[in-house]
């Protein structure tokens, strides 16, 4: 069965962020991810992880001015100095938390951008990706890039899996991988299983949520039991981040996880 990490930005919102570590551990998770750690000190978060025997598997680089709509700065002209400062800040957190994957958000493209503007953005993005890969690679840390659907995040620079994997290859860095969120893939292009099979060697992290509601992965148009079996079949040994919005109290919606664990147990018993 895949390894599941609770996303503490979206799950366990019944309590404040510091208390979500305890809630995740009590619910049976051994790993967590979150969008941004920067409202708390590295030592605080490291302490919560240690206290509850949790591994932090992912967080994002500083995204620019999130409160005013920025969604990353890696493709934005004139922000190179700020980007490099963000890399240094994220590295401090990653080293303190023992985190082995960080997500580099691309940023938004201006409405009506022409081919020349898009080419410039790609050039800037690739330069920043190579820089981040070198810095984090020195510490055996993976840099992830993620296509995001335009319904949730209109104008995001990275949209398709093919686009992201082309950038991964062009970076020339072994520690650059693609973060494949099945929720975004289904909305943008569908064909999740075949896309995963095609790119599995370049995928460094998976995330899940139902489509279209982005709730627990037990409803909607995506067959998650099938996809969980696919991950095992393809030998995927990374983490699966539960980046969904619970319909109600988080713990009350974890029946899908118990069902996945039961299915794995029954399959193992049948094959022994």
């Amino acid at each position: 069965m895949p390894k599941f990490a609770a996303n503490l930005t979206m799950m366990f919102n019944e309590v404040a962020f510091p208390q979500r570590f305890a809630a995740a551990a009590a619910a049976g998770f051994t790993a967590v991810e979150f969008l941004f750690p920067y409202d708390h000190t590295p030592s605080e978060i490291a302490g919560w992880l240690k206290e509850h025997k949790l591994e932090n598997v992912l967080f994002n680089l500083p995204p620019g001015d999130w409160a005013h709509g920025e969604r990353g700065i890696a493709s934005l002209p004139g922000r190179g100095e700020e980007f490099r400062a963000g890399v240094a800040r994220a590295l401090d957190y990653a080293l303190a938390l023992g985190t082995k994957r960080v997500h580099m958000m691309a940023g938004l493209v201006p409405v009506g951008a022409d081919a020349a503007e898009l080419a410039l953005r790609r050039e800037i993005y690739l330069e920043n990706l190579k820089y981040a890969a070198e810095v984090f690679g020195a510490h055996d840390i993976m840099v992830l890039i993620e296509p995001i659907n335009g319904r949730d995040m209109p104008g995001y620079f990275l949209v398709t899996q093919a686009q992201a994997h082309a950038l991964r290859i062009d970076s020339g860095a072994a520690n650059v991988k693609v973060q494949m969120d099945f929720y975004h893939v289904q909305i943008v292009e569908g064909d999740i299983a075949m896309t995963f099979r095609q790119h599995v060697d370049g995928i460094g992290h998976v995330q899940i949520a139902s489509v279209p509601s982005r709730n627990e992965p037990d409803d909607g148009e995506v067959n998650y039991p099938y996809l969980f079996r696919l991950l095992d079949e393809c030998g995927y040994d990374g983490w699966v981040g539960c980046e969904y919005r619970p319909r109600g109290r988080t713990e009350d919606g974890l029946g899908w996880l118990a069902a996945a664990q039961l299915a794995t147990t029954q399959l193992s018993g049948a094959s022994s």
Side-chain angles (χ1 to χ4, degrees):
M1 185 182 73
K3 303 179 297 183
F4 295 100
N7 186 296
L8 298 188
T9 301
M10 300 181 75
M11 301 173 69
F12 302 103
N13 277 211
E14 300 85 0
V15 296
F17 185 76
Q19 282 74 56
R20 293 175 198 170
F21 294 81
F29 288 97
T30 60
V32 296
E33 62 179 36
F34 33 78
L35 291 186
F36 309 111
Y38 310 109
D39 287 341
H40 305 277
T41 67
S43 60
E44 284 177 324
I45 300 176
W48 300 329
L49 291 168
K50 182 178 180 180
E51 179 182 359
H52 300 292
K53 298 180 175 60
L54 293 168
E55 178 181 351
N56 173 232
V57 301
L58 175 68
F59 65 82
N60 295 346
L61 270 65
D65 192 344
W66 185 268
H68 287 85
E70 290 193 323
R71 294 298 181 262
I73 61 174
S75 69
L76 275 56
R79 304 290 286 274
E81 184 175 341
E82 181 183 352
F83 175 80
R84 293 188 176 213
V87 168
R89 189 180 185 195
L91 179 62
D92 287 342
Y93 276 83
L95 294 176
L97 306 183
T99 310
K100 288 300 183 181
R101 298 160 203 80
V102 293
H103 172 212
M104 187 185 90
M105 295 194 73
L108 307 179
V109 176
V111 175
D114 60 16
E117 175 70 18
L118 292 174
L120 172 63
R121 294 294 180 113
R122 190 183 194 279
E123 181 180 345
I124 293 169
Y125 183 81
L126 188 56
E127 179 182 349
N128 284 329
L129 180 58
K130 290 178 179 178
Y131 174 80
E134 181 178 1
V135 172
F136 286 106
H139 301 276
D140 194 30
I141 296 172
M142 186 185 300
V143 178
L144 298 171
I145 59 177
E146 179 189 24
I148 297 176
N149 80 79
R151 186 172 70 204
D152 286 71
M153 201 171 288
Y156 195 70
F157 176 76
L158 277 181
V159 179
T160 68
Q161 291 292 302
Q163 183 187 12
H165 284 284
L167 282 160
R168 172 183 64 81
I169 292 168
D170 288 351
S171 76
N175 66 317
V176 170
K177 300 289 184 180
V178 173
Q179 182 172 316
M180 186 176 181
D181 188 325
F182 290 166
Y183 167 79
H184 294 306
V185 176
Q186 176 65 10
I187 292 172
V188 173
E189 51 199 309
D191 204 18
I192 296 173
M194 294 306 295
T195 302
F196 183 85
R197 288 182 185 276
Q198 178 184 356
H199 296 297
V200 61
D201 291 339
I203 295 170
H205 191 65
V206 169
Q207 291 177 323
I208 58 173
S210 66
V211 180
S213 62
R214 206 171 191 177
N215 297 140
E216 288 88 345
D218 58 4
D219 193 12
E221 62 193 55
V222 178
N223 183 347
Y224 275 108
Y226 168 80
L227 291 174
F228 295 156
R229 294 193 299 271
L230 175 71
L231 295 181
D232 288 340
E233 178 188 330
C234 292
Y236 175 74
D237 61 358
W239 288 92
V240 175
C242 304
E243 194 180 45
Y244 65 80
R245 301 184 187 95
R247 298 183 191 93
R249 183 172 175 270
T250 301
E251 290 87 345
D252 294 340
L254 291 176
W256 68 269
L257 180 58
Q261 293 169 332
L262 178 60
T264 300
T265 301
Q266 290 174 336
L267 186 61
S268 299
S271 61
S272 61

